[in-house]
Amino acid sequence: MTEKTSRNDKIDPWGSMKIEDYSKVVKQFGISSFLDVIKKVPQPHKFMLRNIIYGHRDFGRVADAMASGKKFVMLTGLMPSGKFHFGHKMIADQIIYYQKMGAEVYICVADIEAYTTRGLSMKEIEKLAIEEYLLNYIALGIKPDKCHFYFQSKENAKYQTLSKMISKHVTFNELKAIYGGDSLTPSKIMSALTQVADILYPQMEQGRCPTVVPVGTDQDPHIRLTRDIASRFKEFKFLPPSSTYNKFMSGLQGGKMSSSKIESYIALTDTPADARKKVMRALTGGRETLEEQKKKGGQPHKCAIYELYTYHLMDDDGELKNVYDDCVAGKLMCGDDKKHCADLIAKFLEKHHDKRERARKDVGKFIKD
Ligand code: TRP
């Protein structure tokens, strides 16, 4: 909720939040603009070049490590709670990128967080993790044998001990200041401290080194907490983690893309026919009448279709620019454009579903025990 964010000046990682103005977030929460570091990044990802990854904390040291071939870690956690949709694919794309760039990749299933804050059973959580996340991850191109993967509930004693030791290095007042006092519960505290452990744990194994956590803005409170706690340990010399922030995709009908609103997203398991229907019903930046659209042109910055192209369906900048130019010039009408988008999505999903079935044999590479 925007209201909630601005009323309390807090980001609630367990709430639902729609951010309208990312430049405000950058100012209000002390996130740095990604434009400040992009020049240092050896092969920037298209999300970086397209300002979808808009912000960061201390990414410079990760960029330096990438450029000089020094060791660095990329860590992310997935909380299984529903269908894996194109919003989730954004994180998968970043994992693939960092895997290619030579990072030690850590992926954890936040099953403790899902259990404590979403009320799912551990069995349901495990099933969702495999069917919705792991299979899609492999099908998209994440190499399961080239990453460190674990469930929060099942990782080794070192990790479990770290997650408990963290409680010594933070005060209740700090937690209240970061998350807001009224809504804090033991469950939330538990999952916040577990997430801090997720982010610091790789350095226990790899030694002190730059660590990047690519997240959506809602996760920033956890990043701030971890950065504060990192240097308080005497027994471990943790380097405070770096982070990047990607914009959220909008829902297909406007508003937020959310797993709880079926019409707001396209899941990677949707049938091509269902995905087509959702695209055809999506909100565009079109005008009231064709007449008006031809005269004034469309508004791609308000269009769910253009967003799908930018985030997922068009890697080629020239092709994307042509769509943009034709739209604002009033040459491209929404009906035709939706058909084109529906074709691209259907083609993508058909291929993806094949890959997903083939991925079944590789899931075991994630889960070794
Ligand atoms: N809290 C994250 C979510 O809601 C999941 C998560 C757990 C995570 N541990 C993490 C994300 C560590 C980044 C880094 O999706």
Side-chain angles (χ1 to χ4, degrees):
M1 273 174 281
T2 325
E3 306 92 298
K4 203 168 173 191
T5 322
S6 47
R7 203 182 329 121
N8 296 339
D9 289 341
K10 300 268 190 296
I11 296 173
D12 177 3
W14 300 285
S16 73
M17 177 176 75
K18 167 103 173 102
I19 296 170
E20 308 287 347
D21 183 350
Y22 284 95
S23 56
K24 264 200 204 141
V25 173
V26 165
K27 274 201 214 108
Q28 192 175 349
F29 296 101
I31 291 171
S32 307
S33 162
F34 203 80
L35 298 174
D36 298 349
V37 280
I38 193 158
K39 281 206 193 77
K40 285 180 146 193
V41 185
Q43 290 166 54
H45 188 270
K46 79 170 182 227
F47 291 162
M48 297 170 178
L49 296 166
R50 293 180 181 179
N51 200 33
I52 292 169
I53 292 177
Y54 70 92
H56 75 100
R57 291 188 191 272
D58 263 347
F59 190 74
R61 55 168 71 124
V62 178
D64 289 345
M66 278 159 85
S68 61
K70 291 215 181 86
K71 183 187 274 191
F72 73 104
V73 164
M74 189 240 59
L75 167 289
T76 188
L78 55 101
M79 175 157 70
S81 58
K83 287 273 167 197
F84 186 94
H85 55 56
F86 274 86
H88 301 117
K89 177 175 176 287
M90 294 173 69
I91 296 291
D93 288 343
Q94 294 176 66
I95 300 175
I96 295 165
Y97 167 73
Y98 287 113
Q99 213 166 33
K100 283 197 186 123
M101 297 303 290
E104 288 290 336
V105 171
Y106 279 73
I107 303 173
C108 77
V109 177
D111 58 348
I112 293 292
E113 180 176 13
Y115 178 85
T116 54
T117 66
R118 296 287 159 110
L120 296 169
S121 76
M122 292 304 259
K123 264 249 122 4
E124 286 168 318
I125 294 166
E126 183 169 0
K127 182 155 186 262
L128 278 174
I130 295 171
E131 288 296 317
E132 291 301 326
Y133 285 80
L134 302 192
L135 285 173
N136 284 315
Y137 274 4
I138 299 172
L140 288 169
I142 293 174
K143 304 269 174 271
D145 39 4
K146 291 218 178 79
C147 64
H148 310 256
F149 174 85
Y150 67 89
F151 284 77
Q152 284 177 334
S153 66
K154 295 186 195 161
E155 188 52 352
N156 63 26
K158 248 204 276 181
Y159 165 82
Q160 303 300 343
T161 306
L162 175 66
S163 73
K164 294 182 180 79
M165 287 169 84
I166 283 163
S167 62
K168 160 141 182 82
H169 298 289
V170 62
T171 66
F172 193 45
N173 280 339
E174 281 177 306
L175 292 177
K176 286 201 276 196
I178 292 180
Y179 296 100
D182 303 340
S183 64
L184 266 190
T185 59
S187 300
K188 288 180 182 175
I189 295 176
M190 178 60 107
S191 55
L193 300 189
T194 308
Q195 183 150 343
V196 174
D198 291 331
I199 300 174
L200 296 178
Y201 174 55
Q203 291 190 62
M204 283 177 79
E205 293 201 325
Q206 304 294 332
R208 181 178 163 98
C209 68
T211 301
V212 58
V213 191
V215 288
T217 312
D218 62 324
Q219 298 295 303
D220 185 52
H222 300 314
I223 302 288
R224 275 185 281 142
L225 178 64
T226 311
R227 286 169 56 84
D228 287 345
I229 291 178
S231 49
R232 294 179 188 166
F233 276 90
K234 291 209 180 61
E235 37 293 83
F236 312 114
K237 299 268 169 273
F238 293 128
L239 192 63
S242 311
S243 52
T244 64
Y245 302 93
N246 55 253
K247 294 179 181 169
F248 287 117
M249 290 192 75
S250 318
L252 295 174
Q253 312 283 335
K256 209 192 150 198
M257 181 175 288
S258 151
S259 314
S260 55
K261 281 189 278 165
I262 250 195
E263 287 296 310
S264 76
Y265 64 79
I266 294 172
L268 272 75
T269 47
D270 276 353
T271 63
D274 283 347
R276 264 181 193 286
K277 275 188 217 142
K278 288 187 187 175
V279 167
M280 296 312 286
R281 284 192 219 119
L283 190 74
T284 66
R287 307 281 181 179
E288 293 280 309
T289 63
L290 273 189
E291 254 337 80
E292 196 189 342
Q293 178 133 351
K294 282 184 188 155
K295 230 200 266 155
K296 294 190 183 156
Q299 306 163 92
H301 58 283
K302 288 189 183 168
C303 176
I305 304 297
Y306 186 70
E307 206 178 281
L308 276 169
Y309 292 153
T310 316
Y311 284 57
H312 298 288
L313 299 172
M314 282 183 193
D315 284 345
D316 184 66
D317 290 336
E319 195 185 359
L320 189 67
K321 185 170 182 306
N322 285 342
V323 171
Y324 185 95
D325 291 347
D326 287 352
C327 174
V328 294
K331 286 195 232 156
L332 178 62
M333 296 298 123
C334 297
D336 292 337
D337 196 26
K338 280 179 167 178
K339 273 190 209 123
H340 181 50
C341 182
D343 286 345
L344 292 179
I345 285 265
K347 219 162 59 194
F348 172 87
L349 288 177
E350 268 158 35
K351 269 203 213 145
H352 183 73
H353 293 172
D354 275 352
K355 290 189 200 158
R356 202 168 168 279
E357 281 321 302
R358 274 184 270 136
R360 284 195 187 274
K361 63 176 186 337
D362 292 328
V363 173
K365 292 184 185 163
F366 270 122
I367 308 161
K368 284 148 217 130
D369 55 328

